[in-house]
Amino acid sequence: MRYILCPKCEVNYMSEEQEICDICRQKEDKPMQQYSQPVFVNKEAIRYPKMVYKQRFFYVFQGGDFEDESANGYIFAPKFSRNHHWNRVADVDPGNIIFHAYSGYIKAISIATSKPYNYFRNGEQGNRVDCSYVLLQYPLDTKLYKTEILEYSNDYSPFNKHGTGNQGYLFDINNTLSSIFIEDISINNPNNKHLQNLIQILTAN
């Protein structure tokens, strides 16, 4: 399959069979602010093009909630909040890929398996999304990727202008940067059959 530049935005690549790229198509369906992480034009850095062009990626900072949320297979954020990073949980769709970060490391990858639904946790109403977690024996240290993070980040990213994590819970993350993370996570965890199966599914036709 050959990839060409999108004629509408002239920024993102698409397959030659498409009329416009996936990002432009998604923007027609949902407000622009919900799709703030485009596929950048550095095609040499895209290591999993089949996955990158058809998936939406999120990055979640779970902190002390990581143990409970990973053990029970979900992410959760309060409803009716002015914090966009919490409200973004309502944007997750089944099939979206989520990086789970804690203490500066990506400790798991998951696929969303449900749409957001109403859920009470500790008496607090919120949006819950069920996820199929793959825990990593060797988490990825994002501090080692400052150059890539700065190249593929903007004002809506999970990382700030210093390459460190932003304050918040859930963020869109650039597709090209996501493919770099997944490639190196795969290299560092070669014996994780669940991870390899996940990548195989995501990179299928």
Side-chain angles (χ1 to χ4, degrees), residues 76-89:
F76 170 88
K79 278 187 175 181
F80 315 118
S81 172
R82 295 182 180 180
N83 294 319
H84 297 299
H85 57 87
W86 279 343
N87 294 332
R88 198 170 286 116
V89 172

Side-chain angles (χ1 to χ4, degrees), residues 32 46 66 103 143 151:
M32 183 178 297
I46 299 176
F66 176 78
S103 297
K143 294 191 295 297
E151 182 175 3

Side-chain angles (χ1 to χ4, degrees), residues 25-152:
R25 179 177 54 79
Q26 290 168 339
K27 286 179 179 178
E28 293 179 351
D29 297 334
K30 289 188 176 183
M32 183 178 297
Q33 63 268 24
Q34 294 187 6
Y35 289 92
S36 54
Q37 299 295 323
V39 178
F40 288 10
V41 297
N42 184 359
K43 197 166 65 170
E44 290 73 21
I46 299 176
R47 306 182 185 184
Y48 288 113
K50 288 184 179 179
M51 174 174 58
V52 164
Y53 291 110
K54 70 179 182 180
Q55 298 292 346
R56 187 180 182 189
F57 297 84
F58 289 95
Y59 196 99
V60 60
F61 294 99
Q62 287 171 286
D65 293 324
F66 176 78
E67 295 297 333
D68 175 68
E69 293 182 358
S70 62
N72 293 287
Y74 74 100
I75 59 173
F76 170 88
K79 278 187 175 181
F80 315 118
S81 172
R82 295 182 180 180
N83 294 319
H84 297 299
H85 57 87
W86 279 343
N87 294 332
R88 198 170 286 116
V89 172
D91 298 335
V92 179
D93 289 318
N96 291 160
I97 304 169
I98 304 171
F99 294 99
H100 299 265
Y102 178 38
S103 297
Y105 290 83
I106 296 175
K107 300 212 170 188
I109 301 177
S110 75
I111 298 181
T113 58
S114 76
K115 286 185 172 293
Y117 60 92
N118 193 53
Y119 184 76
F120 284 87
R121 186 175 73 176
N122 299 326
E124 184 173 35
Q125 184 180 13
N127 283 311
R128 169 173 169 155
V129 173
D130 294 333
C131 308
S132 179
Y133 276 73
V134 176
L135 299 176
L136 304 177
Q137 182 179 2
Y138 300 102
L140 192 75
D141 186 353
T142 58
K143 294 191 295 297
L144 303 178
Y145 294 83
K146 185 175 181 178
T147 298
E148 292 83 356
I149 285 171
L150 293 178
E151 182 175 3
Y152 295 108

